[in-house]
Amino acid sequence: RFKKDIKDQVQSDFQERHTLCLRQAASAQEEAAYRALLEVPFTQGGQHKAGRQQELQRVGMQKALFSSPAAALESTLKRIKLLEGKPSPTPEEVNEAQALHELAATLQPLVDDPTAKQFSKYQRLLEQLRSADFAWQVNDAGDRLVIFSERIETLRWLEKQLSQDLKLKPNQVAVLHGQMADTEQQELVDRFGRLEDPIRVLLCSD
């Protein structure tokens, strides 16, 4: 049902949604990682053939990179493990694995940096959260954030990094994703809706 269908059933009016699109140029390290990704000769069935199948693999890796360096590194290492775990990899698979190692080498500094200075999108998020216009108040029980990300590895990274940068206590940030049991998900949603609960930031997968 649409909002208009149930408007007479709710005690208060729906809040108007205000949408703001934030843009940020990539950092030099992110550009290097993206260039390395474009150079990977993806294989299918042991062969490298230019075409849609290889580009689909690249698009999947691009989505990980656009989510976070941590998600991209996880996907890269999984692909390397798959290729190098084969008993008799083809020369094309060996070439792909080598290119993926080079990609991983550009991603690792982004993941290892405790300040995340080269992760441009994250720095723009921090700037927004700290801005006077956004005016988020961590100590206000009614002022809570929900941050969505498609990749679970990104959520895990955000949990750690936001806790550090926003000085959140362990019980003030929580992660919600589809791999959790239904009861766990519902309990977390219920907690997030209670003013007396300390959660201030909920990190969610789609």
Side-chain angles (χ1 to χ4, degrees):
R1 293 180 295 171
F2 295 101
K3 287 182 180 179
K4 63 181 177 60
D5 298 325
I6 61 171
K7 211 157 191 176
D8 60 338
Q9 300 174 33
V10 294
Q11 293 181 352
S12 58
D13 291 333
F14 287 107
Q15 294 293 317
E16 287 298 317
R17 181 177 66 175
H18 300 282
T19 303
L20 174 64
C21 182
L22 305 177
R23 299 186 184 279
Q24 182 67 35
S27 67
Q29 190 67 37
E30 287 172 323
E31 289 283 4
Y34 188 68
R35 286 195 301 271
L37 173 56
L38 294 179
E39 294 298 320
V40 177
F42 287 103
T43 61
Q44 187 72 23
Q47 294 184 327
H48 170 67
K49 295 179 181 177
R52 178 179 293 181
Q53 193 62 45
Q54 274 68 36
E55 289 313 303
L56 282 175
Q57 289 178 296
R58 197 181 314 280
V59 167
M61 198 72 82
Q62 284 173 330
K63 288 176 68 177
L65 181 58
F66 296 154
S67 180
S68 72
L73 183 60
E74 180 194 40
S75 296
T76 302
L77 295 179
K78 280 184 177 179
R79 180 69 180 168
I80 290 173
K81 185 177 180 181
L82 175 68
L83 292 171
E84 295 184 343
K86 293 187 174 185
S88 299
T90 66
E92 288 92 341
E93 288 173 330
V94 172
N95 288 339
E96 181 189 348
Q98 179 59 42
L100 288 169
H101 276 291
E102 293 172 9
L103 171 59
T106 66
L107 292 168
Q108 199 69 59
L110 286 162
V111 176
D112 291 343
D113 180 9
T115 64
K117 290 298 183 186
Q118 290 288 311
F119 185 3
S120 59
K121 186 164 61 172
Y122 175 72
Q123 291 302 321
R124 184 64 186 88
L125 172 64
L126 272 186
E127 180 185 331
Q128 179 70 10
L129 296 183
R130 291 168 170 166
S131 71
D133 289 340
F134 192 68
W136 177 59
Q137 300 294 325
V138 66
N139 295 321
D140 181 351
D143 196 357
R144 302 187 174 198
L145 297 175
V146 181
I147 299 176
F148 288 96
S149 177
E150 181 179 308
R151 300 296 176 119
I152 294 177
E153 188 62 25
T154 299
L155 297 177
R156 295 190 181 111
W157 184 89
L158 282 171
E159 181 182 24
K160 177 183 176 183
Q161 197 69 34
L162 284 173
S163 295
Q164 171 186 303
D165 293 334
L166 299 178
K167 296 178 172 52
L168 297 171
K169 298 174 183 176
N171 62 357
Q172 289 183 309
V173 59
V175 175
L176 176 68
H177 56 77
Q179 294 180 5
M180 298 167 60
D182 290 350
T183 52
E184 289 180 292
Q185 294 182 45
Q186 190 58 52
E187 179 185 2
L188 195 48
V189 170
D190 290 343
R191 285 180 55 201
F192 190 68
R194 294 199 298 265
L195 283 179
E196 69 274 13
D197 196 282
I199 294 178
R200 294 294 178 268
V201 180
L202 187 60
L203 305 169
C204 302
S205 70
D206 55 352

